[in-house]
Amino acid sequence: MRVQIKSKQEIEYIRRAGRILAECHQEVAKWIKPGVSTLEIDEKVEKYLKEAGASPEQKGYKGYPFATCASVNDVVCHGFPSEKPLQAGDIVTIDIVVNKNGWLADSGWTYAVERPGPAAARLMKNAKDALYDGISMAKVGNTIGDIGYVIEQRALAGGYGLVKPLVGHGIGRQIHEPPEVPSFGIRGRGRKLIEGMVITIEPVFTMGPSGAVYWGDDGWTISSADGSVGVQFEHTIAITNKGPYILTE
Ligand code: MF3
Ligand code: CO
C-alpha cells in the first residue's frame, strides 16, 4: 500500500471521528477511579461510541478482542482490559481507535488513578511534551526523521527508556497505513511530509532507561522488561499547508 493522501474533505471526515474520540477520552478521564476495572471502562467506551454513531475499530482488528487497549503500570501497550480493580497510584493507558462512517482516528492517553507519584508525574509530563515536540515537526517539507529525532531527544534528556518497536503510522480508512512514524530518527532523513498525509505520533516511554519490552503469551500485551512503568501519548495529525492539524484534540 502507498501513502494515502487525503483531501480536505477526507481530513474533515477523520476529524469527525477524532472529535468523538477526544470527547470520549474526556469521559474516560472521569471514569478512571480506584475500584473501577479497565473492563468496565472498555464497556463504557464501547457504549459511548455507539451512542455517538461510531464504533471501536480495534475490536476484531487482527483478532483483537476488546474495544480499547488498557495498559496498567508495567504493561506499556496493547494490554487487555481486565476485571482487576484499579488502585490509587496506578498508571493506565487507554488506547482507542474510532470509526465514524468508515474514517478512523487513533488516540491513546495515559492517566493516573487519583494522583501519580512524583516520578510518574514527571515521566508523564516528559512523554506528553515529546508528543507535542513531535507534532510541532509535522510540517510540509520536514521529514519523518525530524519527528522521531525530537521525541528521542526528549527521552534521552529525561533519562527515560524509549520503546522503539512501537511506531506511529498513517491512518485513514485503515488503522495502520504507511508510512511508519518511529519515535526516533535522524534529522532530515526519511520520507518527506507532504500536504494531505494523516499520521499518528505515539511515543511510548518507560521509567527505566532501557526501553526494552517483551510480548505476553496472549500475543498482544507488551510489558517493560525491567518492570518499570510505561506511558504513551498519541494523537492523529494531518499535515496541512497551515501546519500540523491535531484531529484528536
Ligand atoms: N492504537 C493502536 C496502535 O496505534 C492499535 C493497536 S491494534 C489493537 O497501534 F488491535 F491492539 F488494538
Ligand atoms: Co496508533
Side-chain angles (χ1 to χ4, degrees), residues 58-59 61-62 64 66 68-69 77-78 95-97 106-108 166-167 169 175-176 200 202 220 232 234:
Q58 292 180 124
K59 197 166 190 169
Y61 175 77
K62 294 185 177 170
Y64 186 78
F66 298 98
T68 65
C69 298
C77 195
H78 300 169
D95 194 354
I96 306 169
V97 182
D106 184 359
S107 175
L166 293 165
V167 297
H169 46 92
I175 296 189
H176 293 130
T200 72
E202 46 182 304
W220 286 102
Q232 179 176 37
E234 171 184 28

